[in-house]
Amino acid sequence: MSEQYKSREERRRKQTQQSSKKKKNKKPKAGLWKKILISLLAIGIVGMLAGGVTFAVMVAGAPPLDDKKLKDSFSSKIYDMNGDEITEFGQVKRTYVPYDEIPKVLENAVLATEDARFYEHNGVDVIRLGGALVANIQEGFGAEGASTITQQVIKNSLLTPEKTISRKVQELWLSFQLEQKYSKQEILEMYLNKIYFPGNVYGVAQAAESFYGKDLSELELHEAAMIAGIPQSPNNYNPRTNPENAEKRRNIVLTLMAKHGFITQAEADEAKSIPVQSTVIEDTEKANPYHAFVEEVIEEVKEKTDIDAGSAGLQIYTTLDPDAQDTVENVMNGDAVDFPDDELQAGIALIDTKTGEIRAIGGGRNQPVGGYNYATDTRRQPGSTIKPVLDYGPVIEHEQWSTYEQINDESYTYSNGTPINNWDRKFKGWMSIRDALADSRNIPALKALQAVGLDKAQDFAQGLGIPLEEIYESYAIGGFDHGVSPLQMAGAFSAFGNNGIFNEPYAVKKIVLSDGTEISLAPDPEPAMSDYTAFMVTDMMKSVVKYGTGKSVQISNVNIAGKTGTTNFSEDDKAKYNVPSGASKDAWFVGYNPNYTAAVWTGYNITEDSEKVYLDSSDQRLARAMFREVFQEIAGDDDSDFEQPNSVVKKAIEKGSNPAKLASEYTPSSNITYEYFVKGDEPTTVSKKFEKVEVDKPSNLSINYDQVNNSINLNWEYGDTENVSFEVKQSIDEGPYEVVNKSKDKSFTIGDVIPGAIYSYQVVAVSDEDDNNRSAAAATKVQVPEPEIDVPELPEDGTDEETQPDEEGNEENNGNNQDENNGNNGNNGNGQNGNGDNNNQDGNQDNQNEDGQDTGNGETPTAPDVETTVPPTNSNGSNEEEEEPEEEQ
């Protein structure tokens, strides 16, 4: 409802008052914005002043533009681990060309790749800088570069390589200065004459000569694109050694040239169709002993600092051991190992176990300068050498398995149902993981990987420098999609010998710039596993060398842990290259002691023109032989051993127990194995298998002759027979005892006995768990009666019957045999033995102990108690004479 007024005057007065209030309310708002604007302006001015001061301070520290440093290159010196100079490189192979001699096709390829707006900016590409700034804010400073060709000239010629804001500001400032002082053509000329290429080659002119045998002006489009693509990563894009990577890189350059309008898409496609190796010439210059190592040094400096070591005038202090390098070269190309042919290749990486410092590199056999480096660049499947890294290491780390952990080597499949086989196509049943690794069994390795899980195994391997972007169960036995290098394998294994601490292998300790600035390039150590894992896996790998597949590398008094490995061809390649049964594609040995770690790979390059691509059974031993030769020379007098950490305990385990049981005081030494356990997880139960529970002697042994069946029956009594069996031994006519029966029965019958023969028996109770646990023997004997014969009449002269000789001249003792006919003791009234002999009552004259075993000392043991039944002797009162029995064996 509208407000009511008494008069027009009152209404106008009220309206005037309200209007005044609104104006008063608006005044404070205008004042607030004014204050905000003034504040922002002040902050901006202060910021600009501060930024200007900061910029001035940073720029003040920038070096001056030095024509000599910009246009000339300075050689770098390399020093070994002892600080002695081993070589100087740079300005070695260089042909300087002025801008007007650089072909347009090469210039366009370089611009498309490195700086497409080179002729449009003033030294700094603001558009690229903006994109890089966003990336650096999101991912951290240094995540992405935006350097123009001008900036790269400044960076490589005048500045240190650190990725700092101060250095970047100096780079921008000097780039503007360079553009003011020199023309675009002069700057491009500086750049193209300083680029490093593999093989100690500098500048595009020398690169054209080295790779294509051409003058720079003769380069074709695809060749110019290749030269433009190499400098980003010289070793990775080397068309001689990495043709696949090089071709991909060249094609990217061609795509960029078409994108920026330097060539048509049709021209790009035509150039891409040419194989990168088709026009690359071979390098015939032989490498010196240090060349493979020097190549690694140059690459390492480039990757870590972005400095071209061949033109920056550096002092480079390396980890090289010249004696070890000479040893490696001699083994690779000398007479120590008998190689089957010149085509078989090898790579050796030797590093310090504790630090990861590279001591020597064997880049290949009879390799040229710039040739393929089989120690650092090759990527081959590792075979069974991966088992400690991917299977047993992770499962011990995460599941605390012991070295005795029992695992069943049996018929098995991958999770998808695909069968997996051992190398010998056999199964060995339950065994420890120590023995499974020593004999390189595949099925236990897969089970170990499955037990720990693929993700944990992948993380474990990555922590050891093995670049696994994906993982499958087949990786358990080394069936990688993308392989590994000997240097990577040496780095991974060295962590096991270094208490679980991983050091990335490196060749450069530090560099000293031309202005005296020192930059350390040594990587920081990284914990990769627990010390118990490192020690236990190491001890398992010592068994590989002691009695397993790697025993041929044994060196007296040198404690070596290591692993063998071979890989197979696919079925298609077997057919394609006519690969015989048992042949391998690769053969490895990776091993270490506390001071050195070495990885050796052997194999062939596989090309369409290869006459031989496989390793036969003798070739497969070469990796082990090469390892042994190197270690014999560098560590032959090194008897150091790996120290057991406090996290590990050693226990005497009874073999065959599952789960593990401690050996008892009764366990025979042959049934004891000493194994390692994570402290707190060791077994506490003592085995009772060999515990000496006395076995009772059988009682009430009786013997009877069954005349009807002409057999002898034994019977005895015993208490609980659940854990015992009975062994019956028999002796005939006092001959040696022989086992005639072993069973749980408490009786025994033997038929077709010999008339007149004396049968002696011993019955022993034997423990079913321990054959050596035996009771005393219960013994008895019986003489089988002779068939009855007619007694001749007495002669008419009345000779006394008792003294009348029989037809054989024997004197009868019929009058003294009454006790015998009654089955009683055979000792008659005149004291003679009723059995017609003078032997001990049990008839046991051979050297046997109380268990019926040969004592072997020639003494007659105490005879067991004998329960004897003696039937009548033959009719003439004597026993038939027997031949002397042979001694019991």
Side-chain angles (χ1 to χ4, degrees):
M1 182 175 179
S2 62
E3 189 174 354
Q4 300 295 319
Y5 299 101
K6 294 180 178 180
S7 65
R8 292 180 179 177
E9 192 68 28
E10 183 179 0
R11 184 177 62 186
R12 283 196 296 268
R13 189 168 56 250
K14 289 288 186 181
Q15 290 175 345
T16 301
Q17 290 175 353
Q18 290 175 356
S19 176
S20 298
K21 288 181 180 180
K22 289 181 179 180
K23 290 181 180 180
K24 289 179 180 179
N25 290 337
K26 289 181 179 179
K27 285 182 180 179
K29 290 185 179 181
L32 177 62
W33 279 110
K34 184 177 180 180
K35 290 179 181 180
I36 293 174
L37 290 173
I38 292 173
S39 298
L40 289 175
L41 181 60
I43 292 173
I45 293 172
V46 172
M48 290 176 65
L49 291 173
V53 172
T54 302
F55 181 81
V57 171
M58 292 181 178
V59 169
L65 293 179
D66 188 326
D67 290 349
K68 187 174 182 60
K69 289 183 177 180
L70 288 168
K71 294 185 177 181
D72 295 339
S73 297
F74 296 88
S75 61
S76 295
K77 293 182 179 181
I78 296 182
Y79 302 89
D80 65 18
M81 61 182 290
N82 304 313
D84 297 326
E85 182 180 332
I86 58 173
T87 189
E88 181 175 0
F89 71 98
Q91 302 185 37
V92 176
K93 290 189 292 184
R94 184 190 305 276
T95 301
Y96 195 92
V97 292
Y99 172 78
D100 56 9
E101 293 183 14
I102 297 172
K104 203 65 178 177
V105 65
L106 178 61
E107 178 181 348
N108 291 339
V110 171
L111 293 180
T113 307
E114 298 292 339
D115 191 355
R117 285 183 289 274
F118 174 69
Y119 286 104
E120 299 171 14
H121 60 66
N122 293 319
V124 177
D125 190 337
V126 178
I127 297 176
R128 290 181 65 188
L129 185 62
L133 181 61
V134 173
N136 289 333
I137 292 174
Q138 295 176 340
E139 305 174 28
F141 185 75
E144 182 178 312
S147 295
T148 62
I149 287 177
T150 308
Q151 289 174 262
Q152 291 185 55
V153 171
I154 291 295
K155 177 174 58 179
N156 293 332
S157 301
L158 302 176
L159 298 176
T160 61
E162 296 94 345
K163 289 186 176 182
T164 63
I165 295 177
S166 177
R167 198 224 67 174
K168 196 66 179 177
V169 169
Q170 292 178 2
E171 179 185 303
L172 296 175
W173 171 253
L174 290 174
S175 295
F176 283 119
Q177 297 297 314
L178 188 66
E179 292 270 351
Q180 298 300 315
K181 187 173 182 180
Y182 297 96
S183 68
K184 289 286 187 179
Q185 291 76 15
E186 288 175 314
I187 295 172
L188 188 60
E189 179 181 307
M190 295 175 191
Y191 177 75
L192 293 177
N193 280 288
K194 280 196 169 189
I195 301 175
Y196 168 75
F197 294 88
N200 208 18
V201 171
Y202 296 89
V204 292
Q206 190 60 47
E209 176 66 29
S210 176
F211 288 103
Y212 299 108
K214 293 182 176 182
D215 183 81
L216 198 61
S217 62
E218 300 174 331
L219 289 179
E220 299 176 28
L221 173 59
H222 69 95
E223 296 166 337
M226 186 70 264
I227 288 178
I230 291 175
Q232 186 184 69
S233 183
N235 282 354
N236 288 334
Y237 300 138
N238 186 337
R240 290 196 183 100
T241 60
N242 287 314
E244 291 184 4
N245 288 344
E247 190 162 308
K248 290 178 182 178
R249 175 63 178 165
R250 182 205 64 182
N251 292 345
I252 290 174
V253 174
L254 291 167
T255 298
L256 290 172
M257 292 181 73
K259 174 183 177 182
H260 293 295
F262 293 115
I263 59 175
T264 65
Q265 187 60 51
E267 290 174 322
D269 294 339
E270 182 181 356
K272 289 179 182 180
S273 67
I274 302 173
V276 75
Q277 284 185 304
S278 63
T279 55
V280 174
I281 64 173
E282 292 186 6
D283 193 334
T284 58
E285 181 181 350
K286 294 295 181 181
N288 63 54
Y290 303 138
H291 183 76
F293 191 91
V294 170
E295 286 289 320
E296 178 64 21
V297 167
I298 296 171
E299 184 71 12
E300 196 169 300
V301 171
K302 179 69 174 177
E303 288 181 355
K304 292 184 177 181
T305 69
D306 204 24
I307 292 179
D308 179 0
S311 62
L314 306 176
Q315 296 178 57
I316 305 174
Y317 293 87
T318 75
T319 62
L320 176 72
D321 180 343
D323 293 335
Q325 184 66 48
D326 290 342
T327 296
V328 167
E329 288 296 324
N330 289 337
V331 170
M332 295 284 283
N333 301 313
D335 299 327
V337 177
D338 186 16
F339 293 99
D341 51 56
D342 291 336
E343 281 66 45
L344 187 143
Q345 274 298 347
I348 299 177
L350 177 68
I351 70 175
D352 186 296
T353 301
K354 295 183 177 67
T355 67
E357 296 180 354
I358 302 174
R359 296 296 180 220
I361 291 177
R365 298 184 60 234
N366 306 307
Q367 286 294 87
V369 173
Y372 191 82
N373 192 326
Y374 289 94
T376 61
D377 295 336
T378 191
R379 296 293 184 270
R380 303 294 282 252
Q381 290 184 337
S384 290
T385 58
I386 205 63
K387 290 174 180 176
V389 174
L390 208 55
D391 307 330
Y392 298 113
V395 79
I396 290 176
E397 176 72 12
H398 294 288
E399 302 298 325
Q400 286 77 50
W401 279 14
S402 71
T403 59
Y404 180 77
E405 178 74 23
Q406 295 293 292
I407 200 161
N408 195 2
D409 181 22
E410 59 184 342
S411 177
Y412 201 64
T413 66
Y414 292 100
S415 296
N416 64 5
T418 303
I420 178 174
N421 294 303
N422 290 313
W423 59 268
D424 58 0
R425 304 281 173 166
K426 297 178 181 178
F427 311 112
K428 290 191 173 183
W430 287 99
M431 63 196 318
S432 67
I433 60 172
R434 176 191 296 278
D435 290 342
L437 182 62
D439 196 40
S440 201
R441 313 304 290 174
N442 289 339
I443 292 164
L446 172 58
K447 289 185 175 182
L449 175 63
Q450 291 174 333
V452 70
L454 294 178
D455 291 341
K456 290 180 179 178
Q458 182 180 15
D459 290 343
F460 188 89
Q462 288 175 338
L464 294 177
I466 303 300
L468 291 183
E469 296 181 0
E470 67 283 316
I471 184 173
Y472 307 100
E473 286 188 346
S474 59
Y475 283 24
I477 57 175
F480 284 20
D481 289 339
H482 304 286
V484 292
S485 71
L487 186 60
Q488 289 172 328
M489 291 302 295
F493 271 54
S494 66
F496 291 114
N498 191 36
N499 298 314
I501 305 299
F502 172 70
N503 291 288
E504 181 184 358
Y506 65 102
V508 182
K509 296 179 182 179
K510 68 177 182 178
I511 60 174
V512 180
L513 306 183
S514 57
D515 63 358
T517 302
E518 290 191 8
I519 302 174
S520 174
L521 299 187
D524 295 327
E526 297 288 344
M529 69 189 86
S530 303
D531 56 1
Y532 64 77
T533 301
F535 179 81
M536 291 163 67
V537 172
T538 292
D539 201 72
M540 289 166 61
M541 283 199 277
K542 287 173 70 174
S543 295
V544 173
V545 176
K546 184 177 180 180
Y547 61 82
T549 57
K551 59 186 177 183
S552 63
V553 308
Q554 290 179 10
I555 300 173
S556 179
N557 298 322
V558 180
N559 293 293
I560 300 174
K563 186 67 189 75
T564 56
T566 57
T567 67
N568 298 324
F569 287 89
S570 66
E571 293 301 321
D572 291 341
D573 283 345
K574 285 182 180 179
K576 181 177 180 180
Y577 298 109
N578 195 27
V579 177
S581 176
S584 294
K585 186 176 182 180
D586 309 278
W588 294 78
F589 188 83
V590 187
Y592 56 98
N593 80 341
N595 294 310
Y596 293 99
T597 301
V600 182
W601 166 86
T602 55
Y604 284 91
N605 281 325
I606 301 177
T607 66
E608 295 293 339
D609 299 329
S610 298
E611 294 184 5
K612 180 182 179 184
V613 299
Y614 59 83
L615 302 170
D616 58 31
S617 58
S618 61
D619 299 337
Q620 293 166 26
R621 304 187 187 101
L622 290 172
R624 284 168 279 170
M626 295 172 71
F627 175 92
R628 189 181 189 281
E629 289 293 332
V630 171
F631 247 64
Q632 180 70 62
E633 185 66 26
I634 66 170
D637 57 355
D638 182 1
D639 62 355
S640 60
D641 204 354
F642 306 95
E643 184 177 350
Q644 179 180 333
N646 293 330
S647 58
V648 174
V649 293
K650 185 178 183 180
K651 294 294 181 180
I653 304 299
E654 188 169 281
K655 290 181 181 178
S657 58
N658 188 16
K661 292 183 180 180
L662 299 174
S664 71
E665 59 180 308
Y666 306 109
T667 305
S669 59
S670 60
N671 287 78
I672 297 176
T673 180
Y674 292 90
E675 300 288 355
Y676 291 100
F677 297 80
V678 178
K679 183 177 289 186
D681 288 338
E682 66 271 23
T684 56
T685 302
V686 179
S687 173
K688 296 182 179 180
K689 179 177 180 179
F690 296 98
E691 188 174 327
K692 285 292 183 182
V693 178
E694 292 296 331
V695 180
D696 294 333
K697 173 183 174 182
S699 61
N700 297 328
L701 175 63
S702 64
I703 187 169
N704 294 291
Y705 170 66
D706 184 343
Q707 186 173 5
V708 175
N709 296 312
N710 190 31
S711 62
I712 295 173
N713 300 313
L714 291 172
N715 292 278
W716 59 90
E717 295 179 359
Y718 199 86
D720 184 5
T721 62
E722 181 179 358
N723 296 316
V724 297
S725 298
F726 301 100
E727 183 179 270
V728 179
K729 287 187 175 183
Q730 172 184 274
S731 169
I732 302 176
D733 288 332
E734 315 304 335
Y737 276 88
E738 295 179 353
V739 176
V740 293
N741 188 55
K742 186 174 182 180
S743 69
K744 287 186 170 292
D745 296 335
K746 291 183 285 186
S747 63
F748 176 66
T749 299
I750 183 170
D752 297 326
V753 295
I754 304 171
I758 300 174
Y759 284 83
S760 302
Y761 293 93
Q762 293 180 351
V763 181
V764 177
V766 182
S767 169
D768 290 337
E769 295 183 350
D770 180 9
D771 193 62
N772 294 319
N773 191 3
R774 309 163 72 86
S775 73
T780 187
K781 67 169 64 175
V782 68
Q783 183 174 11
V784 178
E786 293 279 5
E788 293 185 3
I789 59 175
D790 295 333
V791 178
E793 296 181 1
L794 291 175
E796 294 180 357
D797 59 5
T799 303
D800 191 309
E801 183 178 353
E802 290 184 359
T803 60
Q804 180 66 31
D806 60 15
E807 293 180 355
E808 297 177 0
N810 293 325
E811 187 174 286
E812 294 182 349
N813 291 319
N814 293 335
N816 297 327
N817 288 331
Q818 297 300 317
D819 289 343
E820 293 177 353
N821 291 330
N822 293 329
N824 297 324
N825 190 299
N827 291 331
N828 58 19
N830 61 14
Q832 294 179 341
N833 187 291
N835 291 331
D837 59 36
N838 293 320
N839 293 331
N840 289 338
Q841 195 172 16
D842 65 355
N844 184 15
Q845 286 300 302
D846 53 354
N847 294 331
Q848 296 183 354
N849 59 24
E850 67 178 3
D851 295 336
Q853 302 297 318
D854 192 345
T855 62
N857 58 14
E859 298 179 359
T860 302
T862 303
D865 296 333
V866 180
E867 301 173 17
T868 308
T869 301
V870 183
T873 61
N874 57 23
S875 59
N876 61 11
S878 65
N879 293 318
E880 294 182 0
E881 185 176 355
E882 298 287 346
E883 294 183 0
E884 185 72 19
E886 295 182 1
E887 183 178 357
E888 184 176 6
Q889 299 299 314

